[in-house]
Amino acid sequence: MRRWRPDRLAARFALLLTAALLAANLAALGLLALERDRLEGRARDEAVLARLLAVAPLMDGAADATRARLAEGLSRRGLRVRIDDRPAVAPDAGDRRTRRLRTRVEAALEGRALRLAPASARGGPAASLALSDPPGWLNATWRGGPPPRRGEAWPVVLLLALGLAATLAVGLAFVRQLTRPLGALAAAARAAGRGDRAVRVPEDGARELREAAAAFNDMQARIARADAERMRLVAALGHDLRTPITSLRIRAEMLEEAGGETGAEAAAMGDTLREMEVMADGLLAFARGEGEAEAPERIDLAPWLGRLAAARGAAVGDMAAVAAQARPVALGRAVGNLVDNALRYAGGATLRLDREGAEAVIAVEDDGPGIPPERLGEMTEPFRRGEASRGRDTGGAGLGLAIARAVAEAHGGALRLRNRAGGGLAAEIRLPAEADGA
Ligand SMILES: Nc1ncnc2c1ncn2[C@@H]1O[C@H](COP(=O)(O)OP(=O)(O)OP(=O)(O)O)[C@@H](O)[C@H]1O
Ligand SMILES: [Mg+2]
């Protein structure tokens, strides 16, 4: 139903303004035309009467032939004059317009009888003027409507177009002033939605815009504070749980040494407690990573990844030349977690770097067992682990992928997991890349 409405604010405004200006100007033009016709009609009526009144004295006392010749001389386009025995206009004919006309020519009548009739559907206005010696009537009718006009439309159209162009220019500049901060606000809100707590919008422009920007900035600050508070809580939890768990584990190990059925029970308990220890450590690491307020910087990804691969013992595959704005410590932890997983579950990792459109794609590939397709989605949730990591030697907290995903999303990117065609897992961190040559 609202299909016809343009999408952009500027276009809507231009349309509304054009419609309003056209309507107002057409109405004004119409009124002006009516007024002009009225004035012109009045002037013509007076001119005709003045001519009749000038000739009438010459007809008084003149012969029929002279009268006829004079009448013929008066007649012209749009004015018909005849000499008759009777008046063509009834005595009581007349309206406001004719009454006014009579008062304006009253002085020139000098007692001569004049009958006036207004323009009607049958024809233009008419007048009958009495003649004497012999008595007779000078009957005249003339055209009432305005004479046809030509070639007058273009100045009006030109003026209208100029007025419209000027108003639109001013109006669109105004709308631009309005939409530019709105666009910035939308972009900032999108970045905030992706988890960027550092983004702020400038608080300038008109009051309403300043207020919207201030409200957004305020919201960002509040969320950042709440985030930090939550992370402090998680860290405290991880830290405070660790001590009692460790003491329980040590006691379980002591019991284990006693052997027998109790010892076997205690060994199982010890395993569970070790697992809980790792989880508490993980909580701490998670909270520490998230809590850090690190400034993003421009990273030339290929050499940076090369150094990371060398430090972690990963192989290096194809590397495209791509740069991105990123927080190096956080991104290093994210990629490091992926490399650790590949080394732990597949025994080897290969790092690749690619550019796909506006995205930098950091891929960590391996030739291991991969992840069952139905579990690919859930593995990035915190504390999710596969069977492979249940064993004692490989056991982790199940936070590595969750951290990598959180970091990628905080950079405005994403973490993708997929099983490679030839077997093994490919874990990709996709980030907004800097424009080429930047
Ligand atoms: N490269 C991989 N190959 C096969 N399975 C993987 C791979 N990477 C992750 N997984 C599976 O995904 C699960 C979740 O990985 P994640 O890194 O989140 O946790 P984790 O490695 O178990 O523990 P943490 O990283 O916290 O020490 C792992 O337990 C493992 O089962
Ligand atoms: Mg891991």
Side-chain angles (χ1 to χ4, degrees):
M1 195 180 136
R2 294 188 170 169
R3 272 275 170 76
W4 59 272
R5 248 199 239 182
D7 195 34
R8 293 186 153 265
L9 200 59
R12 286 185 186 201
F13 183 72
L15 195 71
L16 270 179
L17 205 63
T18 309
L21 264 177
L22 275 179
N25 275 294
L26 286 180
L29 273 179
L31 282 175
L32 271 178
L34 278 180
E35 180 63 13
R36 185 187 54 187
D37 287 353
R38 202 176 61 81
L39 288 176
E40 282 184 1
R42 192 198 273 181
R44 215 175 35 258
D45 292 350
E46 282 179 29
V48 168
L49 280 184
R51 203 173 292 142
L52 295 182
L53 283 169
V55 176
L58 303 178
M59 291 181 166
D60 289 342
D64 280 355
T66 316
R67 285 182 174 184
R69 215 177 48 248
L70 283 170
E72 201 177 317
L74 273 175
S75 293
R76 61 195 61 224
R77 243 170 82 87
L79 172 62
R80 260 202 2 258
V81 182
R82 280 195 352 247
I83 306 294
D84 284 315
D85 293 341
R86 295 156 223 279
V89 177
D92 56 344
D95 64 355
R96 219 155 55 113
R97 195 170 145 190
T98 54
R99 275 199 302 280
R100 273 211 209 115
L101 191 54
R102 174 183 298 279
T103 49
R104 276 200 302 279
V105 297
E106 198 76 73
L109 278 180
E110 292 168 348
R112 194 184 295 277
L114 170 68
R115 295 179 178 187
L116 287 169
S120 70
R122 269 174 289 121
S128 294
L129 201 57
L131 303 175
S132 56
D133 195 20
W137 288 86
L138 179 60
N139 288 325
T141 56
W142 60 97
R143 195 161 53 206
R149 276 181 263 276
R150 233 173 280 276
E152 281 179 9
W154 71 265
V156 173
V157 172
L158 188 72
L159 261 178
L160 194 63
L162 281 178
L164 194 63
T167 318
L168 273 184
V170 173
L172 286 181
F174 173 73
V175 168
R176 269 274 281 287
Q177 242 182 37
L178 197 70
T179 52
R180 203 175 310 125
L182 278 184
L185 191 61
R190 226 173 284 129
R194 285 190 305 250
D196 187 344
R197 294 283 154 256
V199 67
R200 297 284 186 277
V201 285
E203 293 176 25
D204 49 24
R207 171 138 65 94
E208 290 83 351
L209 295 173
R210 279 201 314 273
E211 279 173 2
F216 174 85
N217 291 342
D218 196 36
M219 179 192 78
Q220 276 286 83
R222 272 165 199 275
I223 297 178
R225 274 201 299 279
D227 273 358
E229 189 54 42
R230 201 186 61 201
M231 280 307 153
R232 259 199 300 285
L233 194 75
V234 172
L237 209 69
H239 181 267
D240 292 358
L241 279 178
R242 217 175 169 287
T243 322
I245 293 172
T246 308
S247 93
L248 271 180
R249 180 175 57 75
I250 292 169
R251 283 190 212 179
E253 276 167 10
M254 275 156 62
L255 270 183
E256 200 180 333
E257 277 158 24
E261 209 171 300
T262 323
E265 244 344 273
M269 266 173 68
D271 283 350
T272 310
L273 287 168
R274 247 186 301 283
E275 217 171 291
M276 286 176 75
E277 242 176 0
V278 171
M279 283 169 79
D281 281 347
L283 279 181
L284 258 176
F286 187 55
R288 220 176 280 137
E290 286 273 308
E292 275 163 16
E294 199 190 354
E297 58 187 68
R298 181 182 185 277
I299 301 180
D300 201 354
L301 289 171
W304 184 81
L305 283 173
R307 286 195 297 279
L308 189 142
R312 303 253 177 175
V316 173
D318 297 338
M319 289 276 165
V322 194
Q325 283 290 333
R327 293 182 267 274
V329 175
L331 189 61
R333 182 175 299 129
V335 179
N337 285 350
L338 302 182
V339 171
D340 285 351
N341 280 350
L343 294 175
R344 191 189 278 172
Y345 304 112
T350 306
L351 268 171
R352 284 183 210 289
L353 175 62
D354 210 349
R355 172 193 272 279
E356 278 179 27
E359 279 184 327
V361 184
I362 302 170
V364 179
E365 298 177 351
D366 64 51
D367 301 315
I371 294 175
E374 69 277 7
R375 298 206 62 194
L376 273 176
E378 68 177 270
M379 276 310 176
T380 58
E381 302 289 331
F383 300 115
R384 287 301 153 84
R385 291 174 302 168
E387 285 312 313
S389 77
R390 291 286 176 211
R392 259 186 154 165
D393 47 339
T394 58
L399 281 173
L401 291 178
I403 291 173
R405 175 176 148 192
V407 169
E409 288 176 356
H411 280 80
L415 172 69
R416 296 270 157 71
L417 300 180
R418 64 181 166 83
N419 288 306
R420 301 168 66 211
L425 188 78
E428 295 174 352
I429 291 179
R430 292 170 168 265
L431 304 173
E434 290 230 312
D436 257 331

